[in-house]
C-alpha cells in the first residue's frame, strides 16, 4: 500500500526566511505532484515531477525529486505572506496508475 | 471554458437522506475522479472513471455510487447519508495521454450530515 508522509504538518515562519517541506513515499512511483490549497478553496497544481533529479522552480518555490530516496522537497525562499496556504504532495503508483495518494498536507503560515 | 464545475456548493443532510453531487467538465478529459477531504487531512479517492461507461472504486468507496454516461458528467450518489460522510467533496479531471497528467480540481461541495 502506498503511503505518503509530509513533514512538518504545521509550519509558522517569518517573512524573508527560507524553509523546506518534505514528502516521503513508501513505494516506487511514476510521478509526484505538489498542490496548493487556500482556506475554503480548491487545489491548485504547482509542480509535476517525473524523474529522478527533477527540479522545478516557480517564483519563491522550488520542488525536487529523489526517486531513490523516495523523497521530494518543496523549498521556500524568502517567504512572503502570500505563500500562506496548505501544501499537499501526491504520488501515483508506478505502472501507469492514475490514482493519486495524497499526504496530509503542510499548513504554512508566513508572519510579517 | 468553465473547467470543472460542482453543484451544490453547500448542503446539509439529515441522517438517512440521499443526494447526488454533480460534477461537469468542459475540457473533454476522459479521466474523472471523486475525492473527499476531511478536516486537516489530505484527499482520499472515492471513485474514478477512465471514460464514459467505465468506473472503478478508489480507496474509500463504501456508502457511495457513481455513474458515467457521458464524457462531461460524473455524478456521485450518497444513498443513506451518515455523519461519517460529512466532508468536502472534490471532483477532478485529467487529460489522458499527457506526460504530466496533472489533475484539475473543481471548487468542491461542502456536505454536512446531521
Amino acid at each position: 500500500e502506498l503511503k505518503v508522509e509530509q513533514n512538518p504538518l504545521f509550519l509558522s515562519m517569518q517573512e524573508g526566511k527560507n524553509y523546506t517541506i518534505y514528502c516521503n513515499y513508501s513505494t516506487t512511483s511514476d510521478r509526484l505532484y505538489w498542490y496548493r490549497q487556500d482556506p475554503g478553496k480548491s487545489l491548485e497544481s504547482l509542480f509535476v515531477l517525473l524523474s529522478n533529479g527533477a527540479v522545478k522552480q516557480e517564483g519563491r518555490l522550488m520542488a525536487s525529486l529523489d526517486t531513490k530516496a523516495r523523497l521530494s522537497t518543496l523549498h521556500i525562499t524568502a517567504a512572503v505572506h502570500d505563500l500562506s496556504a496548505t501544501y499537499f504532495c501526491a504520488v501515483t503508483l508506478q505502472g501507469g496508475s492514475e490514482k493519486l495518494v495524497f499526504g496530509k498536507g503542510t499548513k504554512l503560515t508566513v508572519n510579517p | 471554458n468553465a473547467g470543472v464545475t460542482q453543484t451544490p456548493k453547500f448542503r446539509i443532510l439529515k441522517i438517512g437522506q440521499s443526494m447526488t453531487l454533480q460534477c461537469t467538465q468542459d475540457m473533454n478529459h476522459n479521466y474523472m475522479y471523486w475525492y473527499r477531504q476531511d478536516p486537516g487531512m489530505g484527499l482520499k479517492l472515492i471513485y474514478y472513471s477512465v471514460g464514459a461507461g467505465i468506473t472503478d472504486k478508489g480507496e474509500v468507496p463504501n456508502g457511495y455510487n457513481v455513474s458515467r454516461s457521458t464524457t462531461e458528467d460524473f455524478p456521485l450518489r450518497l444513498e443513506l447519508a451518515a455523519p461519517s460522510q460529512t466532508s468536502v467533496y472534490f471532483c477532478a479531471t485529467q487529460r489522458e495521454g499527457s506526460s504530466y497528467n496533472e489533475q484539475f480540481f473543481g471548487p468542491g461541495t461542502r456536505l454536512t450530515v446531521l
Side-chain angles (χ1 to χ4, degrees):
Chain A
E1 181 187 350
L2 175 58
K3 292 189 185 298
V4 180
E5 290 189 357
Q6 286 182 239
N7 69 82
L9 298 182
F10 298 93
L11 176 57
S12 181
M13 57 191 296
Q14 285 186 311
E15 281 190 329
K17 299 292 187 183
N18 304 333
Y19 210 83
T20 300
I21 299 170
Y22 297 89
C23 174
N24 288 92
Y25 52 98
S26 60
T27 63
T28 307
S29 174
D30 276 347
R31 292 183 297 279
L32 188 139
Y33 301 80
W34 283 97
Y35 284 90
R36 168 182 171 144
Q37 186 180 37
D38 292 306
K41 302 291 187 182
S42 188
L43 279 76
E44 172 191 355
S45 177
L46 293 174
F47 301 109
V48 182
L49 302 169
L50 297 180
S51 59
N52 190 43
V55 177
K56 294 221 175 148
Q57 183 162 6
E58 179 75 31
R60 302 176 188 273
L61 299 177
M62 183 174 71
S64 66
L65 178 62
D66 180 345
T67 56
K68 293 179 182 175
R70 296 176 189 160
L71 171 69
S72 179
T73 61
L74 181 66
H75 186 72
I76 303 152
T77 302
V80 293
H81 180 68
D82 284 352
L83 290 179
S84 297
T86 299
Y87 294 86
F88 292 94
C89 66
V91 177
T92 60
L93 287 168
Q94 194 174 43
S97 168
E98 306 302 337
K99 293 184 281 187
L100 285 181
V101 178
F102 282 79
K104 290 184 178 180
T106 296
K107 184 172 182 179
L108 171 66
T109 303
V110 181
N111 302 305
Chain B
N1 286 350
V4 183
T5 58
Q6 291 182 238
T7 57
K9 287 188 168 56
F10 304 93
R11 184 73 184 267
I12 298 174
L13 283 182
K14 293 183 180 177
I15 294 171
Q17 286 185 319
S18 61
M19 77 164 293
T20 299
L21 282 67
Q22 301 291 348
C23 175
T24 300
Q25 55 112 350
D26 62 1
M27 296 183 285
N28 201 32
H29 288 175
N30 277 337
Y31 294 178
M32 295 186 75
Y33 305 82
W34 274 106
Y35 294 91
R36 61 177 285 172
Q37 184 180 30
D38 297 327
M41 301 292 286
L43 279 68
K44 293 191 176 180
L45 183 64
I46 306 171
Y47 271 95
Y48 68 103
S49 169
V50 298
I54 307 169
T55 62
D56 206 350
K57 295 177 181 178
E59 186 182 355
V60 289
N62 291 345
Y64 307 94
N65 277 302
V66 293
S67 60
R68 184 94 182 273
S69 56
T70 67
T71 300
E72 293 77 20
D73 299 304
F74 190 39
L76 178 71
R77 179 85 178 159
L78 283 71
E79 290 294 350
L80 290 170
S84 61
Q85 294 177 305
T86 294
S87 191
V88 180
Y89 291 83
F90 289 101
C91 177
T93 72
Q94 184 177 34
R95 186 178 66 193
E96 182 186 3
S98 164
S99 296
Y100 291 97
N101 278 357
E102 61 183 313
Q103 295 186 11
F104 298 89
F105 287 82
T109 293
R110 188 175 297 271
L111 175 67
T112 302
V113 182
L114 300 173

